[in-house]
Amino acid sequence: MTTVLIVDDQPLQRYGFHLLLDSVPETVVVGEAAHGAEAVRKTAELRPDVVLMDVRMPGMDGIEATRRIVAAGGRSRVLVLTTFDLDEYVHAAIRAGASGFLLKDARPEELLAGIRSVASGDAVIAPALTRRLLDEYARYVPAHRADSPEDPGLGSLTDREREILVAVGKGWTNGEIATRFVLSESTVKTHVGRVLAKIGARDRIQAVIFAYDHGLARPNED
Amino acid sequence: MTTVLIVDDQPLQRYGFHLLLDSVPETVVVGEAAHGAEAVRKTAELRPDVVLMDVRMPGMDGIEATRRIVAAGGRSRVLVLTTFDLDEYVHAAIRAGASGFLLKDARPEELLAGIRSVASGDAVIAPALTRRLLDEYARYVPAHRADSPEDPGLGSLTDREREILVAVGKGWTNGEIATRFVLSESTVKTHVGRVLAKIGARDRIQAVIFAYDHGLARPNED
DNA sequence: GGGCACGTAGTACCGCGGTACTACGCGGCA
DNA sequence: TGCCGCGTAGTACCGCGGTACTACGTGCCC
């Protein structure tokens, strides 16, 4: 039995989903919300397995609501729905931590299958969107492991050296690394030098690039 | 009517797929192949809408075969199948240009729905794999457009400055940039200085990070 | 006990990178 | 006509980064 919270600003739309979900035995609608803020509050209160979330809503939109629900850390999964297959929505929803993204014109059985997948911890993407997602994925995600036969050095780095490389990847200067790691700058230089030699980088800039290419450095932190 | 080429080294497996696909009116099996090389040849010859590709095969594996089929530029789409949900396979298959990735334990209707999606130009990913794919996607794909409200400076960069930033993002030294752009090193320094000021970076390292975070620099080129 | 990997630390040297400031030609616009 | 943005170029200065080399303590394994 999967508990579902329906979030949509249009009462008629909510009604339609409610009817659909009640028509099958495996899902039960435990609540409805008309906007983002209410969605966040009711999710915390009702702890549904799945939150069926519309993107476009007045006030707090579905993306922001998703972000907050995911950040709250409960076990509720968010399945985002939209009428338009705009890339920005998909992109933002994924970054917000959504477990799925479907179009509202999906067939009923697709929606139910999606809810089922999301409830069981998997994720779903509408086929019409998957194409572009994969293209972007292939463009950006580095070809670490199994693809590039020999990552020169990565494996030969010691734990400490890998830590240093990550720090370099964050753009920290030797002095900053020394301070944060509580080391002398000399030591940092020694480490950095060894890292550069091992990964075959001529300077820390190429080390930063190496770190990004191998997934050691990531956007959005620091 | 969707034409399908079945690629699998195990005759019994091929037989199973053949039976399944022949049991519905919308698909017709136009051929079979037992290994990668045969798959590439028969795809070129039979021009199927969809190639049902096993990953694990003796000789040329499914990934390499996929790469060649996609590279050939025909209109055949490749739907990769595997028994194991190893990340490396998914990763490699996507990079090879596959239009879909399903597990062999998928229910028949899932497989047929997948073939349908792929034939119509969309893509599919098994729900069990989508979760990890999305996580990785969110990790790596930059938050360009619509996500970060104010890219400080990116828009204020002139065309030339953006070129310079991309070059910096590749890890090139000022001297190298000067050579490749046929400029004096002084000019390059002037440009780099202005770029740093505009994007709010204190040195070229943070400019590299900025470039990666904003999708100006990407893995796998140079 | 001796060797070895690793993390730590130091000194000395040099060059690239970054800053500050000036300068000029070109095209567009008021 | 003059101003301004842009791309180009130069000089001077300084500091961080990188290299080379040495050194020592600790833990591990033969």
Side-chain angles (χ1 to χ4, degrees):
Chain A
M1 179 66 82
T2 303
T3 55
V4 179
L5 173 68
I6 298 175
V7 185
D8 201 309
D9 61 319
Q10 299 187 346
L12 203 63
Q13 187 82 59
R14 291 203 303 273
Y15 182 70
F17 285 136
H18 209 138
L19 274 188
L20 170 63
L21 296 182
D22 279 351
S23 72
V24 292
E26 54 184 304
T27 55
V28 54
V29 176
V30 294
E32 295 186 4
H35 54 264
E38 193 180 1
V40 175
R41 201 177 61 244
K42 289 206 170 177
T43 299
E45 177 191 329
L46 303 170
R47 304 190 151 279
D49 296 317
V50 176
V51 179
L52 215 55
M53 177 81 72
D54 186 30
V55 237
R56 289 202 133 162
M57 284 183 298
M60 188 195 297
D61 70 0
I63 305 295
E64 183 55 32
T66 300
R67 204 186 322 273
R68 300 198 185 189
I69 289 171
V70 171
R75 75 188 202 305
S76 301
R77 312 278 185 168
V78 181
L79 179 50
V80 175
L81 291 175
T82 186
T83 314
F84 312 101
D85 62 342
L86 296 177
D87 285 350
E88 298 83 55
Y89 282 158
V90 185
H91 194 84
I94 292 173
R95 296 191 68 84
S99 288
F101 206 102
L102 292 180
L103 297 178
K104 280 189 176 175
D105 63 5
R107 301 199 317 285
E109 56 266 38
E110 284 177 352
L111 179 62
L112 292 174
I115 291 178
R116 205 181 307 123
S117 293
V118 171
S120 67
D122 292 337
V124 281
I125 293 285
L129 309 176
T130 306
R131 172 80 271 157
R132 293 202 297 273
L133 193 77
L134 292 191
D135 290 344
E136 234 176 311
Y137 183 91
R139 277 240 314 277
Y140 288 110
V141 177
H144 54 162
R145 70 176 171 275
D147 204 358
S148 48
E150 265 315 297
D151 285 340
L154 217 187
S156 70
L157 291 180
T158 66
D159 291 344
R160 195 53 156 171
E161 286 163 355
R162 200 170 293 110
E163 285 179 353
I164 297 288
L165 176 54
V166 170
V168 170
K170 290 182 194 292
W172 297 352
T173 64
N174 288 337
E176 287 172 341
I177 297 174
T179 303
R180 304 215 194 196
F181 283 45
V182 194
L183 291 174
S184 81
E185 195 167 336
S186 297
T187 303
V188 175
K189 279 190 172 187
T190 306
H191 283 312
V192 170
R194 282 204 266 261
V195 169
L196 296 185
K198 285 188 179 179
I199 67 176
R202 71 174 162 207
D203 51 35
R204 68 199 297 109
I205 288 126
Q206 296 198 329
V208 171
I209 295 173
F210 180 93
Y212 268 82
D213 287 356
H214 291 77
L216 289 175
R218 303 203 315 273
N220 309 319
E221 44 182 86
D222 198 17
Chain B
M1 179 68 79
T2 305
T3 55
V4 180
L5 173 69
I6 298 174
V7 185
D8 202 307
D9 60 320
Q10 298 188 347
L12 202 62
Q13 186 83 59
R14 292 202 302 274
Y15 181 70
F17 285 136
H18 210 139
L19 274 190
L20 171 63
L21 298 181
D22 279 350
S23 73
V24 292
E26 55 184 302
T27 54
V28 53
V29 177
V30 295
E32 294 186 7
H35 55 265
E38 193 180 0
V40 175
R41 201 177 62 244
K42 288 206 170 177
T43 299
E45 177 191 330
L46 303 170
R47 304 190 152 278
D49 296 316
V50 177
V51 179
L52 215 55
M53 176 83 71
D54 186 29
V55 236
R56 290 203 131 161
M57 285 183 298
M60 188 194 299
D61 69 1
I63 304 295
E64 183 55 34
T66 299
R67 205 185 323 271
R68 299 197 185 188
I69 289 172
V70 172
R75 78 185 200 307
S76 301
R77 314 278 183 167
V78 181
L79 178 51
V80 175
L81 291 174
T82 184
T83 315
F84 313 101
D85 61 342
L86 295 178
D87 285 350
E88 298 82 57
Y89 282 158
V90 185
H91 195 84
I94 292 173
R95 297 190 66 84
S99 289
F101 206 100
L102 292 180
L103 297 178
K104 280 189 176 174
D105 64 4
R107 302 199 317 283
E109 57 266 39
E110 284 177 352
L111 180 62
L112 293 175
I115 291 177
R116 206 180 307 125
S117 294
V118 170
S120 66
D122 293 336
V124 281
I125 293 286
L129 308 176
T130 305
R131 171 80 271 158
R132 294 202 296 274
L133 193 77
L134 291 191
D135 289 345
E136 235 177 310
Y137 182 90
R139 279 236 316 275
Y140 289 110
V141 178
H144 56 160
R145 70 173 172 275
D147 203 359
S148 49
E150 265 315 299
D151 286 339
L154 217 185
S156 70
L157 291 180
T158 66
D159 291 344
R160 196 52 158 171
E161 285 163 356
R162 197 171 295 108
E163 285 179 352
I164 297 288
L165 176 53
V166 170
V168 170
K170 290 181 193 292
W172 297 352
T173 64
N174 288 336
E176 288 171 342
I177 297 174
T179 303
R180 305 215 193 196
F181 283 45
V182 195
L183 293 173
S184 81
E185 195 167 336
S186 298
T187 303
V188 175
K189 280 189 171 187
T190 305
H191 283 311
V192 171
R194 283 204 265 262
V195 169
L196 297 186
K198 285 188 179 179
I199 66 176
R202 72 173 162 206
D203 52 35
R204 69 200 296 109
I205 287 126
Q206 297 198 328
V208 170
I209 294 174
F210 180 94
Y212 268 83
D213 287 355
H214 292 77
L216 289 175
R218 303 204 316 271
N220 310 319
E221 43 181 89
D222 197 15

